[in-house]
Amino acid sequence: HVEDADRTIEMLRLRMMHACRLLRETDAKIADVAAQCGVPDGAYFSRLFLQMNGEGPRAYRRRMGDRGVRTHY
């Protein structure tokens, strides 16, 4: 079912956009970011993030550096 696949891809895209914002703007642990994005397994989240963004979440956070205002929650 193409519509189901499209919905799944869109949901993952939205989750990864949220993850990017959390990685830029907070100092939350990767596992906590994963959980806040609806992915309870941190290792699986890291693989998804890498696949969708071309780099892992830690590399993304390092590359983004201090571009965002970091808060902890």
Side-chain angles (χ1 to χ4, degrees), residues 10-61:
E10 181 62 13
M11 180 65 76
L12 283 173
R13 189 184 71 75
L14 292 172
R15 288 178 180 189
M16 290 302 114
M17 286 176 57
H18 183 56
C20 287
R21 184 183 66 77
L22 292 173
L23 291 167
R24 282 192 316 269
E25 298 177 4
T26 75
D27 62 356
K29 295 177 181 180
I30 303 297
D32 294 338
V33 171
Q36 290 180 45
C37 294
V39 183
D41 182 326
Y44 179 61
F45 169 79
S46 292
R47 288 192 304 273
L48 276 177
F49 194 94
L50 175 63
Q51 182 178 14
M52 295 188 76
N53 295 291
E55 63 186 337
R58 283 181 182 80
Y60 177 83
R61 179 176 268 168

